[in-house]
Structure formats: structure tokens, C-alpha cells
Amino acid sequence: MRSFGSCKLKKMKAAIYNPYLDTLGGGERYTLTFAKVLSDGGWEVDLEWKNAEIKASLENRFGMDLTKIKIINDVKRGDGYDLCFWVSDGSIPALKSRKNFIHFQVPFQNVNGRSLLNKMKLFRVNKVICNSNFTKKFIDQEYGVNSLVIYPPVDTISIKPKRKENIILFVGRFSGLLQSKHQDILIKNFKKLVDSGLIDWKLVLAGGIEVGVDSYFEELKKLSKDYPIEIISSPDFKTLKDLYGKSRIFWSASGFEVDENKNPEKVEHFGINVVEAMSAGTVPIAYNAGGHREIIKEGVNGFLWGSTQNLLSKTKEAISDKRLWRGLSLQARKDSLPFSLERFSREVLSLI
């Protein structure tokens, strides 16, 4: 509380809700960064989750100081708050704060989005926010809204190039929840490269194993046996920065062989891991679907692939042509900068 003579200014309060918080993925980084922008600006921020111990996991994974953010059991859909930021699971909640924002990180469809009840609830929503134009296309059509795209934040200051090693990297959770990251496809194709004569290169797969892993993680380890493949489970942010910094190439098979018009939720909705790699000057070679197209400019800052043969040929080209790789790397670093934390903060503050 600040005092000016006899006048006191009430501290603004914000409620934050994300039902996927324990997946510790890109969407959760988005939510926490939104919350941190507010708390750093003097807001009192409450984050709903059933167990306050999750804060340590969030800080460790994302390298964030969340000291000012309070974990509470129920934010009561924003009742009694000045602002509510709500990550939707496909439903539209009846939000009750003075300013209400619904965020879609998944391109939901066929969920009866234009129902009369949803339309009534949307009257209380100041703005619907999406993480990419790919997501926006489906959300606007499904719910009959004109959503705002605020791209996810990337720490382009601390994620930076280091002395490069012959590493092909992928970062993404080891689970099939909603969308598969298809690490198995990456392993099989790296093995083909090795079998065809590639030497002194390593494939590194890093990602969370907190939810939805089942037997998939163990299957990947078996598939990797006797090849220069390293699998890292639930790395902290320091480890991720090091991996991004020293890797030469970033692979992604997210969305592989999915019809994105029928199942848009199963492809990459944006691709924050791709931008993080680019920030480190690591050249992305990602599956040609979803949000990847909003990040990668073919042959300029990386490559998009549509078949595994395509993946292998473009990888071989990037490995063998050092001049090409250098040009792609420099442009990738440059093109990552518009996705910075500073840009995200500026857009959030202008919104509220």
C-alpha cells in the first residue's frame, strides 16, 4: 500500500489460472511470464494450483524468480480481483474480475464454441489471446471471436551461442499428451545418418517426464542403444541454455504425418523450442506444419521438412556446407530477437 498524505492507493490484484501447470511446457512459461510481468510492475499476483510446492519445480525448469507470486488453491474465477488471466481447456469460464483475458494455447475445434452460453460468458471477456496465428485461425472460427496474437516470450538474452559442437538437439516433453513430439522418428532417422557414414555427431533429446510418459521414455532408450544418442530427462534451465548454446542443428518432428486441418491440436501450435534454438544460433530443421511456418523462413534461417527423406537430405546439406550453416545460424539468431521477453512485456502492459 502506498500513501500520499491522507490518500492511499490500493495495490492491484491479478488472478492467474493454467490447468496444465504441471506439464512444465512452453504454455506454462507463457503463463508464468505473464504473471511475472504483472508482479514486476507492482501487482499482487495469485496463481491457482492445488500444491504450493510446484513453485520450486517451475523456478527450476524455467529459470525464473517467482518469489513475488503466491500459489493459492482457488482464485475464484477472478472474483475480487482487478484482472484475471485464464488459460482455457476449451471451455469458456464465467470470469468475474474487472478485466478478464482468456488465453488459448491449443487450437480447439468442434467443442460447441459458439453456444449461446459461451457467447454470454464472452461478454465479460476483454480480450481472447492466442499464441500464434495458426491457433488464432481455429479459435476465431470455433468461438466467433477476433482474438489477439501475442507470441510466446523467449529469453533471447540468456539463451545465446556458445562454442559449437557436432550436436543435433531436440527439446520437448517425453509424452504423447495431446500431441506427440515424435522423438522416435528423430532417433530412427539419426540412426540412418550414422549407418550411412555420419561420424563424430551426437543426437541429444531433452525434455520433461513429469506427466503422460508411460512406457514411451523407456522405449526411446532401448531404440537409442549402441548409437551416439543422449537422452536427458527434466533438465533445468541452466542445462537447456548450455544445450542450445553448443548444438549446431535443432530437429523437430512435432506434427509428423498429422492432417493439421482435421487435428490442429496434434501439431506444434507455435514452437517456442525452435525460437530458443534460433536464439542460440542453432539451425532449425522442423516439420512443415502449424506454428513452425510462422518462425522458419525456408533456406533463410532454417529448413522445413515434409518427409523423412527430406529431413535427411536437408540435414546432410547443413552439415556438409559450412558456409550455408553459418549464414542460416546468423539469420536464425537475428530472427529470434522479435520474440524477446522485452517485446512480450511491452505487449502485455499495453494490453492491460
Side-chain angles (χ1 to χ4, degrees):
M1 195 84 73
R2 291 181 296 171
S3 176
F4 295 87
S6 60
C7 178
K8 291 184 177 181
L9 295 180
K10 178 179 176 290
K11 197 168 188 178
M12 303 290 276
K13 292 185 64 177
I16 308 290
Y17 174 80
N18 182 330
Y20 313 114
L21 211 55
D22 57 349
T23 65
L24 305 179
E28 289 58 66
R29 173 182 284 279
Y30 191 115
T31 301
L32 293 171
T33 308
F34 192 103
K36 192 160 169 40
V37 168
L38 295 178
S39 66
D40 288 348
W43 287 64
E44 183 180 316
V45 179
D46 290 344
L47 174 65
E48 180 176 325
W49 196 252
K50 53 187 174 290
N51 187 347
E53 292 178 4
I54 196 173
K55 184 185 282 191
S57 299
L58 296 169
E59 290 182 321
N60 184 58
R61 175 63 60 83
F62 300 126
M64 289 183 180
D65 179 4
L66 304 176
T67 305
K68 296 179 183 178
I69 296 170
K70 186 190 298 183
I71 308 291
I72 69 171
N73 288 329
D74 188 3
V75 295
K76 300 177 182 177
R77 298 184 183 241
D79 191 16
Y81 290 85
D82 298 288
L83 181 152
C84 182
F85 178 82
W86 192 278
V87 177
S88 175
D89 60 0
S91 63
I92 303 294
L95 298 179
K96 302 175 182 179
S97 77
R98 290 176 59 197
K99 279 192 174 183
N100 299 296
F101 301 100
I102 292 182
H103 175 57
F104 285 96
Q105 60 188 43
V106 176
F108 294 106
Q109 59 177 358
N110 302 319
V111 292
N112 197 26
R114 298 197 186 206
S115 69
L116 179 59
L117 182 58
N118 276 350
K119 289 179 180 179
M120 293 172 64
K121 291 176 180 178
L122 282 167
F123 275 121
R124 291 281 299 160
V125 175
N126 294 75
K127 201 65 186 176
V128 173
I129 304 168
C130 292
N131 56 358
S132 68
N133 283 300
F134 176 75
T135 301
K136 171 183 170 63
K137 179 178 71 172
F138 290 94
I139 293 303
D140 287 3
Q141 182 176 345
E142 177 65 30
Y143 296 89
V145 296
N146 181 21
S147 61
L148 172 70
V149 174
I150 299 182
Y151 282 121
V154 174
D155 191 347
T156 54
I157 294 176
S158 64
I159 301 176
K160 54 190 176 183
K162 302 178 70 171
R163 185 179 181 84
K164 293 295 185 181
E165 299 177 18
N166 291 341
I167 295 173
I168 297 175
L169 173 69
F170 174 70
V171 174
R173 66 178 179 271
F174 293 102
S175 79
L177 285 176
L178 191 62
Q179 76 182 201
S180 172
K181 303 298 185 180
H182 287 300
Q183 287 95 337
D184 58 321
I185 299 298
L186 302 182
I187 291 172
K188 289 173 184 176
N189 281 279
F190 182 74
K191 289 166 71 172
K192 288 181 182 179
L193 285 176
V194 173
D195 291 344
S196 66
L198 182 69
I199 58 173
D200 298 327
W201 277 77
K202 178 169 70 171
L203 174 66
V204 177
L205 305 174
I209 59 170
E210 287 78 13
V211 293
V213 174
D214 298 326
S215 62
Y216 184 58
F217 186 66
E218 294 302 319
E219 290 169 7
L220 293 177
K221 289 199 284 189
K222 290 178 183 177
L223 191 60
S224 304
K225 191 177 179 182
D226 300 324
Y227 282 82
I229 299 172
E230 183 180 359
I231 298 178
I232 302 173
S233 60
S234 299
D236 59 21
F237 190 58
K238 182 180 178 182
T239 300
L240 285 177
K241 287 192 296 182
D242 183 61
L243 288 171
Y244 280 128
K246 65 187 183 183
S247 298
R248 289 189 185 276
I249 292 173
F250 185 87
W251 269 5
S252 177
S254 297
F256 180 63
E257 292 188 330
V258 172
D259 185 331
E260 64 180 45
N261 291 311
K262 290 183 179 179
N263 300 108
E265 73 284 358
K266 293 185 178 181
V267 305
E268 198 63 71
H269 314 140
F270 174 66
I272 193 170
N273 53 358
V274 173
V275 182
E276 288 175 335
M278 290 167 61
S279 181
T282 302
V283 174
I285 305 177
Y287 189 66
N288 187 10
H292 286 160
R293 298 194 192 100
E294 294 176 50
I295 303 166
I296 298 175
K297 302 170 188 172
E298 177 68 18
V300 176
N301 60 15
F303 293 114
L304 295 164
W305 61 274
S307 67
T308 54
Q309 183 179 357
N310 207 214
L311 168 64
L312 294 175
S313 64
K314 292 184 177 185
T315 301
K316 289 177 182 177
E317 186 179 2
I319 289 174
S320 61
D321 191 334
K322 291 181 172 57
R323 184 177 178 181
L324 170 66
W325 178 89
R326 192 175 301 111
L328 293 171
S329 174
L330 290 171
Q331 191 63 44
R333 171 67 176 158
K334 181 179 178 181
D335 289 347
S336 72
L337 299 179
F339 299 100
S340 69
L341 290 170
E342 181 184 5
R343 181 273 318 166
F344 182 83
S345 177
R346 188 171 59 249
E347 292 185 12
V348 169
L349 290 175
S350 69
L351 180 71
I352 63 174

